[in-house]
Amino acid sequence: MLKSSAERNRNMNRSAETSGVPADGIAAPLRHGVFRRIWLASLLSNLGLLIQAVGAAWAMTQMTSSADKVALVQTA
């Protein structure tokens, strides 16, 4: 059974009111499931990029003692 848009809006507003997050707080956008999933995916992706950068720099220090080559890997 299809719900009307007004009924969906009422349900969304009701769940937002009971979530415990103030409507005007810094975490207010996290009330929305789609935003929360995109934000979490972005957070995990950035964490993975940082881990990969540290791993690449570490591997380069194991291969050579040249600071210039390590710096080149970090800027790439």
Side-chain angles (χ1 to χ4, degrees), residues 32-65:
H32 304 285
V34 173
F35 178 83
R36 194 169 43 244
R37 285 189 293 270
I38 291 171
W39 182 82
L40 183 60
S42 175
L43 181 74
L44 293 175
S45 176
N46 287 331
L47 179 63
L49 287 172
L50 289 172
I51 291 170
Q52 190 273 337
V54 169
W58 190 351
M60 198 62 189
T61 59
Q62 298 296 317
M63 290 184 235
T64 183
S65 60

Side-chain angles (χ1 to χ4, degrees), residues 4-47:
S4 69
S5 62
E7 196 174 330
R8 280 193 303 260
N9 287 340
R10 255 186 271 120
N11 289 338
M12 284 175 40
N13 289 338
R14 189 175 303 126
S15 65
E17 291 168 359
T18 61
S19 68
V21 178
D24 58 347
I26 193 165
L30 294 174
R31 293 181 305 165
H32 304 285
V34 173
F35 178 83
R36 194 169 43 244
R37 285 189 293 270
I38 291 171
W39 182 82
L40 183 60
S42 175
L43 181 74
L44 293 175
S45 176
N46 287 331
L47 179 63

Side-chain angles (χ1 to χ4, degrees), residues 57 59-74:
M60 198 62 189
T61 59
Q62 298 296 317
M63 290 184 235
T64 183
S65 60
S66 170
D68 292 337
K69 290 183 181 176
V70 174
L72 285 174
V73 168
Q74 288 179 337

